[in-house]
Amino acid sequence: MGYPLLAAQAPFLLDMETTASTNSLVRELAPLPSYSTVITTKQTAGRGRLGREWLSEPNDSVALSIVVPFQQNNLELTPLLMGVAVLRAVRAIGVTQAELKWPNDILVGKRKIAGILCEIVPCGQIIAGVGLNLRFRDKPPTDQATSLAEHITFEPEIPDRWASACLTELRLLIDAGSHRATSEVRQNLATINRRIEVVDFDGQSWLGRAEDIDAGGRLIVSRSGGEKVVLSSGDVRHLYQ
Ligand code: BT5
């Protein structure tokens, strides 16, 4: 799979035949010029948040990692900026019903089509990584997963169009500055104004309503009893009734 559109935009592009994790590879190579990019469709040890895994059979998903300059944005906001960038890129290739769920999932209906993992490296650069499901030739990695091929006709040039749109959109958001970017997140985050279930680190869950995000991308939730809670990380589920 070639990436001519992405190559025209990235200051440095590594198109790997295979690698364990594109985020880990960037970590090894850093520091790199801002917006340097690593991409592969054969990631063998993809990482999720909190020690979880991003699973994919070879060529069933595309893994992309972009180097983000630290000084222009804070680490907390970067996953959401990447979320908006990935959301716009997924919609631009035709999956118009895609939604962004706090803090880092792109959903189509109730299923996850893409996941985001942002990390900081000791030299101070941020790595914004995303995995996007293209199609499942055997079976989905989890029953909560969906892929592009379930929503649009999959064409070989789609990963290039999607990846270059991610890079363009991410740059635009970062260049807009954190005030404007936070408002873009607010407008694109499907979690806001929704009833949600929050799953704590100990596995306990509770119900509430997502009210807003703050300047650091934290989610402001009203618990059913009226108490306000500010979440800086964790997992939420959208409730549909
Ligand atoms: C994420 O974590 O969703 C972040 C995934 C980031 C992957 C990219 S690929 C490029 C870069 N390099 C890496 O090594 N990682 C990044 P989290 O929110 O913790 O969700 C992980 C959970 O999603 C798993 O525990 C599964 O339940 C589910 N999952 C795993 N693989 C999936 C897939 N292909 N599609 C949908 N859901 C998946």
Side-chain angles (χ1 to χ4, degrees):
M1 226 175 276
Y3 300 97
L5 299 173
L6 183 61
Q9 291 196 48
F12 171 77
L13 173 66
L14 262 184
D15 169 11
M16 300 295 290
E17 169 64 24
T18 181
T19 191
S21 152
T22 53
N23 270 27
S24 301
L25 183 56
V26 170
R27 184 179 277 278
E28 281 166 33
L29 298 173
L32 289 167
S34 295
Y35 303 107
S36 293
T37 300
V38 176
I39 195 163
T40 188
T41 55
K42 288 186 196 154
Q43 186 174 245
T44 55
R47 293 185 286 111
R49 293 177 306 137
L50 310 166
R52 295 184 291 225
E53 290 177 301
W54 177 258
L55 303 162
S56 178
E57 294 298 319
N59 299 315
D60 275 8
S61 82
V62 58
L64 172 75
S65 295
I66 300 172
V67 175
V68 177
F70 180 65
Q71 67 278 10
Q72 293 175 36
N73 262 294
N74 57 32
L75 179 61
E76 291 76 30
L77 206 53
T78 303
L80 288 168
L81 299 186
M82 185 64 167
V84 173
V86 172
L87 175 74
R88 289 181 171 159
V90 166
R91 286 182 176 166
I93 56 172
V95 188
T96 51
Q97 68 277 44
E99 290 189 331
L100 175 60
K101 177 172 80 86
W102 189 91
N104 73 327
D105 288 344
I106 307 293
L107 304 181
V108 185
K110 297 179 185 172
R111 293 175 198 271
K112 179 162 164 172
I113 197 165
I116 292 161
L117 174 67
C118 293
E119 302 175 288
I120 188 154
V121 278
C123 66
Q125 292 187 312
I126 299 173
I127 311 167
V130 54
L132 171 75
N133 295 320
L134 302 175
R135 76 287 242 193
F136 303 131
R137 277 180 272 219
D138 185 9
K139 58 180 175 51
T142 77
D143 38 351
Q144 295 302 313
T146 187
S147 70
L148 287 182
E150 291 168 47
H151 308 284
I152 55 172
T153 306
F154 184 76
E155 312 276 0
E157 75 279 3
I158 281 181
D160 185 31
R161 282 173 41 208
W162 169 78
S164 65
C166 286
L167 186 54
T168 306
E169 296 290 348
L170 184 62
R171 275 183 118 130
L172 285 171
L173 285 162
I174 289 176
D175 290 349
S178 54
H179 184 72
R180 169 89 190 279
T182 309
S183 117
E184 298 277 336
V185 172
R186 223 172 244 130
Q187 284 166 34
N188 283 281
L189 192 59
T191 310
I192 292 178
N193 288 327
R194 223 183 193 133
R195 283 191 353 105
I196 57 169
E197 181 180 18
V198 179
V199 184
D200 283 336
F201 290 113
D202 58 6
Q204 301 285 321
S205 64
W206 48 273
L207 302 182
R209 184 176 187 82
E211 303 283 356
D212 201 356
I213 51 160
D214 68 14
R218 288 174 291 260
L219 190 67
I220 302 165
V221 185
S222 298
R223 285 189 83 139
S224 303
E227 179 199 355
K228 288 242 191 302
V229 180
V230 180
L231 302 178
S232 54
S233 67
D235 290 306
V236 308
R237 288 190 200 116
H238 289 170
L239 298 177
Y240 292 88
Q241 50 188 354

